[in-house]
Amino acid sequence: LETINMDDTTIPVGNGSFLEIISPRDASTSLGRWLAKAGGSGGYMLAIQHSDVAGVRRRAREMGIAEVLADVVQGYELAQFSPWELGVIIEVDGIPDPAVWYWDHLGVQPEPDAMVNDIVAVEVSVQDPDAVVAAWNRLLDLEASGTRRVHLGDRCVSFVAGAGKPRMTAVTLRLAQDQPRATEQLLGLQVNYV
């Protein structure tokens, strides 16, 4: 990300999930402009493993959703889509094996005494949750659940009604050890520990 004027840190959370924290080196980057418009820190993007990136790209064109990036990383196709119809930027990564991810080759594992061991859910605030859920389901070719949730395997993205710019508002993390449930504010997000 240095080539696009951003810094990042990737944290293995467990169960094949990673949390990547990025920050702009200056306000002129697309992330810097987004943070200014959104009113400060917060969730920016969700990366989702999908076996048919070409199909997702085709459906995005049919739906009029702007593709903001298409690339090949480590031999895998990826595409990113505009947040205006989806609430956040969605990155679709064409890694066919669910047990594989970009950072696996680094050999980095969660700390043995880590407080959390999985990302369970993400919450996104949008003006029309039902329309956004329908767009996600169509874009990713998923079955509708009849709720304001998009199910991604054992994880889900929930959509809530909110005024203002669409944005990620909460993340739910599974506690690895026998600890009491808790909630805190961190980097502009409500973090729920369950």
Side-chain angles (χ1 to χ4, degrees), residues 84-87 123-138 144-150 157-164 166-167 169:
W84 299 115
E85 298 87 355
L86 303 168
E123 179 185 271
V124 179
S125 173
V126 295
Q127 290 185 359
D128 186 348
D130 296 322
V132 174
V133 167
W136 274 60
N137 285 329
R138 181 172 172 208
S145 68
T147 67
R148 289 183 168 176
R149 290 187 173 145
V150 173
V157 181
S158 298
F159 295 89
V160 297
R167 63 180 297 142
T169 52

Side-chain angles (χ1 to χ4, degrees), residues 119-188:
I119 300 170
V120 177
V122 172
E123 179 185 271
V124 179
S125 173
V126 295
Q127 290 185 359
D128 186 348
D130 296 322
V132 174
V133 167
W136 274 60
N137 285 329
R138 181 172 172 208
L139 180 69
L140 299 174
D141 196 27
L142 300 172
E143 292 290 324
S145 68
T147 67
R148 289 183 168 176
R149 290 187 173 145
V150 173
H151 295 277
L152 304 167
D154 293 337
R155 300 175 180 99
C156 74
V157 181
S158 298
F159 295 89
V160 297
K165 301 268 185 223
R167 63 180 297 142
M168 194 180 308
T169 52
V171 61
T172 300
L173 305 173
R174 180 174 290 121
L175 290 165
Q177 303 165 15
D178 188 22
Q179 299 177 35
R181 292 175 178 232
T183 299
E184 67 177 327
Q185 291 293 318
L186 182 64
L187 300 172

Side-chain angles (χ1 to χ4, degrees), residues 78-134:
L78 73 79
Q80 293 178 358
F81 301 96
S82 169
W84 299 115
E85 298 87 355
L86 303 168
V88 292
I89 291 178
I90 294 179
E91 177 177 291
V92 178
D93 298 283
I95 303 173
D97 183 350
V100 174
W101 192 245
Y102 294 117
W103 300 293
D104 291 345
H105 70 284
L106 299 175
V108 179
Q109 296 296 319
E111 295 294 324
D113 59 349
M115 186 174 125
V116 299
N117 66 8
D118 202 358
I119 300 170
V120 177
V122 172
E123 179 185 271
V124 179
S125 173
V126 295
Q127 290 185 359
D128 186 348
D130 296 322
V132 174
V133 167

Side-chain angles (χ1 to χ4, degrees), residues 44-84:
Y44 180 66
M45 177 187 308
L46 290 175
I48 299 165
Q49 207 164 336
H50 199 286
S51 61
D52 183 17
V53 175
V56 174
R57 294 176 74 200
R58 178 183 43 76
R59 285 187 293 278
R61 285 189 301 274
E62 292 169 358
M63 297 168 68
I65 296 174
E67 184 176 308
V68 296
L69 176 70
D71 203 352
V72 175
V73 175
Q74 298 178 13
Y76 300 112
E77 182 181 11
L78 73 79
Q80 293 178 358
F81 301 96
S82 169
W84 299 115

